[in-house]
Amino acid sequence: QVKLEESGPRLVKPSQTLSLTCAVSGGSISSGDHYWSWIRQSPGKGLEWIGKIYYSGQTYSTPSLKSRVLMSVDTSKNQFSLKLHSVTAADTAVYYCAREGGDYDASGFYHYWGQGILVTVSS
Amino acid sequence: EIVLTQSPGTLSLSPGERATLSCRASQSVSSNYLAWYQQKPGQAPRLLITGASSRATGVPDRFRGSGSGTDFILTISRLEPEDFAVFYCQQYGSSPITFGQGTRLEIK
């Protein structure tokens, strides 16, 4: 059973950088079978796909956030990370990490999710 | 970018009734790569349907996905008390991945 767990600061000041890490257990990032993603949900709002990363470090990001997003992967620790630069109050959200695909399919749906971490941008 | 529009915004029904949720895409979803999720307060979304019509592991057969191209439907045949939640559609046929804005299914 794949498990994902987000960690990082829950309060970030405006204009600073939001940094989160997703620890993966029950599956290996370096297997290369799946992409690993970040998705966020502003309070009371819908889901927004941020981007995804492969074990090789190849990344894809949504155009509206691409200029501020940096994703990385650490296969030795079986974890991947998100940095979002120059944050504003609009970046306040629950941030989820998730694995693309199910147990037998690597397509871009999400069967496995972390529990989510609420990050608030405020001075 | 494909925009997904869900309707209605809120659906008020009673247990035992049938629910029909719609997801319309701004352009055709490649290979009908359309998923549905259920989300309850304080929880991560739960995958229900992939490929427009395939139920995910463990999803009861009262949940049925249908549709193709730009128009997709999630039907819940007989609502159980635990079914009331917010439902999202998601397309993964083209980048960037996008989600609909959600339909809230509430108890009448």
Side-chain angles (χ1 to χ4, degrees):
Chain A
Q1 178 80 353
V2 177
K3 291 188 178 180
L4 302 96
E5 184 171 5
E6 305 89 350
S7 62
R10 294 172 184 268
L11 180 64
V12 181
K13 289 182 167 45
S15 80
Q16 296 194 342
T17 296
L18 178 158
S19 296
L20 296 173
T21 295
C22 181
V24 179
S25 59
S28 172
I29 289 177
S30 59
S31 72
D33 291 335
H34 301 275
Y35 277 87
W36 304 86
S37 299
W38 291 97
I39 297 161
R40 70 180 183 178
Q41 186 170 33
S42 300
K45 304 288 185 180
L47 298 160
E48 180 180 26
W49 185 76
I50 299 172
K52 65 182 182 182
I53 189 166
Y54 197 48
Y55 80 103
S56 61
Q58 183 180 37
T59 62
Y60 300 87
S61 302
T62 195
S64 63
L65 296 174
K66 191 173 184 177
S67 64
R68 298 195 290 129
V69 165
L70 179 66
M71 290 178 285
S72 60
V73 62
D74 187 338
T75 54
S76 67
K77 294 182 178 179
N78 212 33
Q79 63 186 35
F80 60 106
S81 299
L82 169 71
K83 290 188 186 296
L84 182 64
H85 300 290
S86 305
V87 297
T88 69
D91 295 309
T92 293
V94 174
Y95 286 77
Y96 294 99
C97 58
R99 192 194 80 175
E100 273 198 1
D103 291 325
Y104 309 106
D105 184 340
S107 299
F109 56 83
Y110 296 99
H111 184 67
Y112 295 105
W113 297 70
Q115 81 280 6
I117 182 170
L118 174 60
V119 180
T120 301
V121 178
S122 174
S123 55
Chain B
E1 166 173 330
I2 294 179
V3 176
L4 299 178
T5 302
Q6 293 186 240
S7 60
T10 301
L11 187 56
S12 300
L13 293 170
S14 300
E17 292 192 294
R18 178 188 186 94
T20 302
L21 287 67
S22 172
C23 176
R24 177 162 289 179
S26 60
Q27 55 188 280
S28 185
V29 176
S30 177
S31 302
N32 294 326
Y33 280 165
L34 193 288
W36 287 94
Y37 300 83
Q38 176 190 51
Q39 187 179 35
K40 297 181 179 179
Q43 297 183 14
R46 171 197 178 199
L47 180 67
L48 297 175
I49 302 288
T50 64
S53 60
S54 297
R55 273 188 301 275
T57 304
V59 175
D61 60 9
R62 64 180 181 273
F63 290 90
R64 179 176 173 268
S66 61
S68 64
T70 60
D71 291 294
F72 300 89
I73 298 287
L74 175 68
T75 303
I76 311 172
S77 57
R78 293 172 311 279
L79 286 166
E80 298 286 343
E82 63 268 25
D83 296 339
F84 292 88
V86 180
F87 293 82
Y88 295 96
C89 58
Q90 174 224 340
Q91 69 80 23
Y92 52 100
S94 61
S95 188
I97 285 170
T98 51
F99 292 87
Q101 83 282 13
T103 290
R104 179 178 303 278
L105 177 58
E106 62 177 29
I107 299 178
K108 188 173 182 179

Short mmCIF file of all heavy atoms in Angstrom, two decimals, chain A residues 39 41 45-49 62-63 96 100 107-111 113-114, chain B residues 1 33 35 37 39 43-45 47 50 88 90 92 95-97 99 101:
data_model
loop_
_atom_site.label_atom_id
_atom_site.label_comp_id
_atom_site.label_asym_id
_atom_site.label_seq_id
_atom_site.Cartn_x
_atom_site.Cartn_y
_atom_site.Cartn_z
N ILE A 39 -0.78 18.95 -5.94
CA ILE A 39 -2.12 19.49 -6.21
C ILE A 39 -2.50 20.33 -5.01
O ILE A 39 -2.17 19.96 -3.88
CB ILE A 39 -3.13 18.33 -6.41
CG1 ILE A 39 -2.75 17.49 -7.64
CG2 ILE A 39 -4.56 18.86 -6.54
CD1 ILE A 39 -3.36 16.11 -7.67
N GLN A 41 -5.53 23.04 -2.99
CA GLN A 41 -6.95 23.36 -2.86
C GLN A 41 -7.07 24.56 -1.93
O GLN A 41 -6.84 24.43 -0.72
CB GLN A 41 -7.73 22.16 -2.33
CG GLN A 41 -9.22 22.35 -2.28
CD GLN A 41 -9.94 21.04 -1.98
OE1 GLN A 41 -9.45 20.19 -1.25
NE2 GLN A 41 -11.13 20.86 -2.56
N LYS A 45 -12.47 26.00 -1.95
CA LYS A 45 -12.43 26.02 -3.41
C LYS A 45 -12.14 24.64 -3.98
O LYS A 45 -12.05 23.64 -3.25
CB LYS A 45 -11.33 27.01 -3.87
CG LYS A 45 -11.48 28.41 -3.34
CD LYS A 45 -12.63 29.14 -3.99
CE LYS A 45 -12.66 30.59 -3.52
NZ LYS A 45 -13.76 31.35 -4.12
N GLY A 46 -11.97 24.62 -5.31
CA GLY A 46 -11.71 23.37 -5.99
C GLY A 46 -10.23 23.01 -6.03
O GLY A 46 -9.39 23.64 -5.39
N LEU A 47 -9.93 21.98 -6.80
CA LEU A 47 -8.58 21.42 -6.88
C LEU A 47 -7.81 22.05 -8.04
O LEU A 47 -8.36 22.25 -9.13
CB LEU A 47 -8.68 19.91 -7.08
CG LEU A 47 -9.37 19.16 -5.94
CD1 LEU A 47 -9.87 17.80 -6.42
CD2 LEU A 47 -8.42 18.99 -4.77
N GLU A 48 -6.56 22.34 -7.80
CA GLU A 48 -5.68 22.91 -8.83
C GLU A 48 -4.42 22.07 -8.94
O GLU A 48 -3.68 21.92 -7.97
CB GLU A 48 -5.31 24.36 -8.50
CG GLU A 48 -4.41 25.00 -9.55
CD GLU A 48 -4.05 26.44 -9.20
OE1 GLU A 48 -4.06 26.80 -8.02
OE2 GLU A 48 -3.71 27.19 -10.13
N TRP A 49 -4.16 21.57 -10.13
CA TRP A 49 -2.95 20.79 -10.39
C TRP A 49 -1.77 21.75 -10.51
O TRP A 49 -1.83 22.72 -11.27
CB TRP A 49 -3.13 20.01 -11.68
CG TRP A 49 -2.01 19.09 -12.04
CD1 TRP A 49 -1.74 17.88 -11.48
CD2 TRP A 49 -1.04 19.27 -13.07
NE1 TRP A 49 -0.66 17.29 -12.10
CE2 TRP A 49 -0.21 18.13 -13.09
CE3 TRP A 49 -0.77 20.28 -14.00
CZ2 TRP A 49 0.85 17.97 -13.96
CZ3 TRP A 49 0.28 20.14 -14.89
CH2 TRP A 49 1.08 18.99 -14.86
N THR A 62 1.84 23.50 -14.34
CA THR A 62 0.75 24.23 -14.96
C THR A 62 1.25 25.63 -15.37
O THR A 62 2.04 26.25 -14.65
CB THR A 62 -0.46 24.31 -14.01
OG1 THR A 62 -1.61 24.70 -14.74
CG2 THR A 62 -0.22 25.28 -12.86
N PRO A 63 0.85 26.11 -16.52
CA PRO A 63 1.40 27.37 -17.04
C PRO A 63 1.27 28.56 -16.08
O PRO A 63 2.19 29.38 -15.99
CB PRO A 63 0.59 27.61 -18.32
CG PRO A 63 0.21 26.23 -18.77
CD PRO A 63 -0.04 25.46 -17.51
N TYR A 96 -1.55 19.00 -1.50
CA TYR A 96 -1.51 17.54 -1.52
C TYR A 96 -0.36 17.06 -2.42
O TYR A 96 -0.13 17.63 -3.49
CB TYR A 96 -2.79 16.97 -2.10
CG TYR A 96 -4.05 17.20 -1.31
CD1 TYR A 96 -4.94 18.22 -1.65
CD2 TYR A 96 -4.39 16.38 -0.23
CE1 TYR A 96 -6.12 18.41 -0.95
CE2 TYR A 96 -5.55 16.57 0.49
CZ TYR A 96 -6.42 17.59 0.12
OH TYR A 96 -7.58 17.78 0.82
N GLU A 100 0.62 9.65 -9.63
CA GLU A 100 -0.19 9.40 -10.82
C GLU A 100 -0.40 7.91 -11.02
O GLU A 100 0.52 7.10 -10.84
CB GLU A 100 0.52 9.96 -12.07
CG GLU A 100 0.24 11.41 -12.34
CD GLU A 100 0.57 11.79 -13.78
OE1 GLU A 100 1.00 10.92 -14.56
OE2 GLU A 100 0.40 12.98 -14.10
N SER A 107 -1.50 6.03 -15.84
CA SER A 107 -2.13 7.21 -16.42
C SER A 107 -2.33 8.29 -15.37
O SER A 107 -2.22 8.04 -14.17
CB SER A 107 -3.48 6.85 -17.04
OG SER A 107 -3.30 5.93 -18.07
N GLY A 108 -2.69 9.49 -15.81
CA GLY A 108 -2.68 10.67 -14.96
C GLY A 108 -3.82 10.89 -14.02
O GLY A 108 -4.13 12.04 -13.70
N PHE A 109 -4.48 9.83 -13.56
CA PHE A 109 -5.45 9.99 -12.49
C PHE A 109 -4.73 9.72 -11.18
O PHE A 109 -3.57 9.29 -11.15
CB PHE A 109 -6.64 9.03 -12.67
CG PHE A 109 -6.24 7.59 -12.78
CD1 PHE A 109 -6.01 6.82 -11.65
CD2 PHE A 109 -6.11 6.99 -14.03
CE1 PHE A 109 -5.65 5.49 -11.75
CE2 PHE A 109 -5.74 5.66 -14.14
CZ PHE A 109 -5.51 4.90 -12.99
N TYR A 110 -5.42 9.98 -10.07
CA TYR A 110 -4.76 9.92 -8.76
C TYR A 110 -5.50 8.99 -7.80
O TYR A 110 -6.57 9.32 -7.30
CB TYR A 110 -4.64 11.32 -8.16
CG TYR A 110 -3.75 12.20 -9.00
CD1 TYR A 110 -4.27 13.10 -9.91
CD2 TYR A 110 -2.36 12.07 -8.90
CE1 TYR A 110 -3.44 13.87 -10.70
CE2 TYR A 110 -1.52 12.84 -9.69
CZ TYR A 110 -2.07 13.74 -10.59
OH TYR A 110 -1.24 14.49 -11.38
N HIS A 111 -4.90 7.84 -7.55
CA HIS A 111 -5.47 6.88 -6.60
C HIS A 111 -4.88 7.09 -5.21
O HIS A 111 -5.56 6.92 -4.22
CB HIS A 111 -5.18 5.46 -7.09
CG HIS A 111 -5.80 4.39 -6.24
ND1 HIS A 111 -7.16 4.21 -6.15
CD2 HIS A 111 -5.24 3.48 -5.42
CE1 HIS A 111 -7.40 3.21 -5.32
NE2 HIS A 111 -6.26 2.75 -4.87
N TRP A 113 -3.06 9.57 -2.48
CA TRP A 113 -2.89 10.96 -2.06
C TRP A 113 -2.29 11.01 -0.66
O TRP A 113 -2.53 10.12 0.16
CB TRP A 113 -4.26 11.66 -1.99
CG TRP A 113 -5.02 11.78 -3.26
CD1 TRP A 113 -5.61 10.78 -3.97
CD2 TRP A 113 -5.34 12.99 -3.95
NE1 TRP A 113 -6.26 11.29 -5.08
CE2 TRP A 113 -6.10 12.65 -5.09
CE3 TRP A 113 -5.04 14.34 -3.74
CZ2 TRP A 113 -6.58 13.59 -6.00
CZ3 TRP A 113 -5.51 15.28 -4.63
CH2 TRP A 113 -6.28 14.91 -5.75
N GLY A 114 -1.57 12.10 -0.37
CA GLY A 114 -1.24 12.39 1.01
C GLY A 114 -2.47 12.95 1.70
O GLY A 114 -3.51 13.19 1.06
N GLU B 1 -5.42 24.79 -22.64
CA GLU B 1 -5.86 24.13 -21.41
C GLU B 1 -7.34 23.78 -21.52
O GLU B 1 -8.15 24.60 -21.94
CB GLU B 1 -5.60 25.07 -20.23
CG GLU B 1 -6.25 24.73 -18.94
CD GLU B 1 -5.82 25.59 -17.78
OE1 GLU B 1 -4.67 26.07 -17.75
OE2 GLU B 1 -6.68 25.79 -16.88
N TYR B 33 -9.93 10.22 -21.25
CA TYR B 33 -9.19 10.16 -19.99
C TYR B 33 -9.82 11.14 -18.99
O TYR B 33 -9.31 12.23 -18.73
CB TYR B 33 -7.72 10.48 -20.21
CG TYR B 33 -6.90 9.34 -20.75
CD1 TYR B 33 -5.63 9.58 -21.30
CD2 TYR B 33 -7.35 8.03 -20.73
CE1 TYR B 33 -4.85 8.54 -21.79
CE2 TYR B 33 -6.58 6.99 -21.22
CZ TYR B 33 -5.33 7.24 -21.74
OH TYR B 33 -4.55 6.22 -22.23
N ALA B 35 -11.59 11.31 -15.10
CA ALA B 35 -11.75 10.66 -13.80
C ALA B 35 -12.75 11.43 -12.94
O ALA B 35 -12.96 12.63 -13.13
CB ALA B 35 -10.40 10.57 -13.09
N TYR B 37 -13.89 12.02 -8.73
CA TYR B 37 -13.47 11.90 -7.34
C TYR B 37 -14.60 12.34 -6.42
O TYR B 37 -15.41 13.19 -6.77
CB TYR B 37 -12.26 12.79 -7.04
CG TYR B 37 -11.03 12.48 -7.85
CD1 TYR B 37 -10.87 13.00 -9.13
CD2 TYR B 37 -10.03 11.66 -7.34
CE1 TYR B 37 -9.74 12.72 -9.88
CE2 TYR B 37 -8.90 11.37 -8.09
CZ TYR B 37 -8.77 11.91 -9.36
OH TYR B 37 -7.66 11.62 -10.10
N GLN B 39 -15.00 13.90 -2.48
CA GLN B 39 -14.23 14.48 -1.39
C GLN B 39 -15.16 14.85 -0.23
O GLN B 39 -16.15 15.57 -0.42
CB GLN B 39 -13.45 15.72 -1.83
CG GLN B 39 -12.51 16.23 -0.75
CD GLN B 39 -11.70 17.44 -1.18
OE1 GLN B 39 -12.16 18.28 -1.94
NE2 GLN B 39 -10.46 17.52 -0.69
N GLN B 43 -10.78 15.62 4.16
CA GLN B 43 -10.15 14.45 3.57
C GLN B 43 -9.61 14.75 2.18
O GLN B 43 -10.07 15.67 1.50
CB GLN B 43 -11.15 13.29 3.47
CG GLN B 43 -11.68 12.80 4.81
CD GLN B 43 -12.61 11.62 4.65
OE1 GLN B 43 -12.69 11.00 3.58
NE2 GLN B 43 -13.33 11.28 5.70
N ALA B 44 -8.65 13.96 1.76
CA ALA B 44 -8.19 14.01 0.38
C ALA B 44 -9.26 13.43 -0.54
O ALA B 44 -10.10 12.64 -0.09
CB ALA B 44 -6.89 13.22 0.23
N PRO B 45 -9.27 13.83 -1.78
CA PRO B 45 -10.22 13.22 -2.71
C PRO B 45 -10.03 11.71 -2.81
O PRO B 45 -8.93 11.20 -2.68
CB PRO B 45 -9.89 13.91 -4.04
CG PRO B 45 -9.27 15.20 -3.65
CD PRO B 45 -8.49 14.89 -2.40
N LEU B 47 -10.64 8.52 -5.35
CA LEU B 47 -10.85 8.17 -6.75
C LEU B 47 -12.04 7.23 -6.91
O LEU B 47 -12.13 6.21 -6.22
CB LEU B 47 -9.60 7.50 -7.31
CG LEU B 47 -9.63 7.05 -8.76
CD1 LEU B 47 -9.70 8.25 -9.71
CD2 LEU B 47 -8.41 6.19 -9.08
N THR B 50 -12.18 6.00 -13.49
CA THR B 50 -11.13 6.36 -14.43
C THR B 50 -11.58 6.03 -15.84
O THR B 50 -12.50 5.23 -16.04
CB THR B 50 -9.81 5.61 -14.14
OG1 THR B 50 -10.04 4.20 -14.33
CG2 THR B 50 -9.36 5.86 -12.71
N TYR B 88 -15.69 15.85 -7.95
CA TYR B 88 -14.89 16.55 -8.95
C TYR B 88 -14.62 15.64 -10.13
O TYR B 88 -14.39 14.44 -9.97
CB TYR B 88 -13.53 16.97 -8.37
CG TYR B 88 -13.61 18.00 -7.27
CD1 TYR B 88 -13.58 17.62 -5.93
CD2 TYR B 88 -13.69 19.36 -7.57
CE1 TYR B 88 -13.66 18.56 -4.91
CE2 TYR B 88 -13.76 20.31 -6.55
CZ TYR B 88 -13.75 19.90 -5.23
OH TYR B 88 -13.81 20.84 -4.23
N GLN B 90 -11.94 15.26 -13.47
CA GLN B 90 -10.56 15.62 -13.81
C GLN B 90 -10.24 15.02 -15.17
O GLN B 90 -10.56 13.85 -15.43
CB GLN B 90 -9.58 15.05 -12.78
CG GLN B 90 -8.11 15.24 -13.13
CD GLN B 90 -7.26 14.00 -12.89
OE1 GLN B 90 -7.63 13.09 -12.14
NE2 GLN B 90 -6.10 13.94 -13.51
N TYR B 92 -7.19 13.95 -17.79
CA TYR B 92 -5.75 13.68 -17.83
C TYR B 92 -5.31 13.27 -19.23
O TYR B 92 -4.30 12.63 -19.42
CB TYR B 92 -5.35 12.63 -16.79
CG TYR B 92 -6.14 11.34 -16.80
CD1 TYR B 92 -5.63 10.19 -17.41
CD2 TYR B 92 -7.38 11.25 -16.17
CE1 TYR B 92 -6.34 9.00 -17.40
CE2 TYR B 92 -8.09 10.07 -16.16
CZ TYR B 92 -7.57 8.95 -16.77
OH TYR B 92 -8.28 7.77 -16.76
N SER B 95 -2.05 17.98 -21.28
CA SER B 95 -1.42 18.80 -20.25
C SER B 95 -1.76 20.26 -20.48
O SER B 95 -1.76 20.72 -21.63
CB SER B 95 0.10 18.58 -20.32
OG SER B 95 0.74 19.21 -19.23
N PRO B 96 -2.04 21.02 -19.40
CA PRO B 96 -2.00 20.58 -18.01
C PRO B 96 -3.24 19.82 -17.59
O PRO B 96 -4.32 20.00 -18.15
CB PRO B 96 -1.92 21.92 -17.25
CG PRO B 96 -2.70 22.85 -18.10
CD PRO B 96 -2.38 22.46 -19.52
N ILE B 97 -3.07 18.94 -16.63
CA ILE B 97 -4.20 18.27 -16.02
C ILE B 97 -5.11 19.34 -15.41
O ILE B 97 -4.63 20.33 -14.84
CB ILE B 97 -3.70 17.30 -14.92
CG1 ILE B 97 -3.10 16.06 -15.58
CG2 ILE B 97 -4.81 16.94 -13.96
CD1 ILE B 97 -2.37 15.14 -14.63
N PHE B 99 -9.09 20.14 -13.34
CA PHE B 99 -10.22 19.66 -12.58
C PHE B 99 -11.42 20.56 -12.82
O PHE B 99 -11.27 21.76 -13.10
CB PHE B 99 -9.91 19.68 -11.08
CG PHE B 99 -8.87 18.70 -10.62
CD1 PHE B 99 -7.52 19.02 -10.66
CD2 PHE B 99 -9.23 17.45 -10.13
CE1 PHE B 99 -6.55 18.12 -10.23
CE2 PHE B 99 -8.28 16.54 -9.70
CZ PHE B 99 -6.94 16.88 -9.75
N GLN B 101 -14.88 22.41 -11.20
CA GLN B 101 -15.00 23.22 -9.98
C GLN B 101 -15.77 22.51 -8.88
O GLN B 101 -15.83 22.99 -7.75
CB GLN B 101 -15.67 24.57 -10.31
CG GLN B 101 -17.19 24.55 -10.37
CD GLN B 101 -17.76 23.97 -11.65
OE1 GLN B 101 -17.06 23.35 -12.45
NE2 GLN B 101 -19.05 24.19 -11.86
#
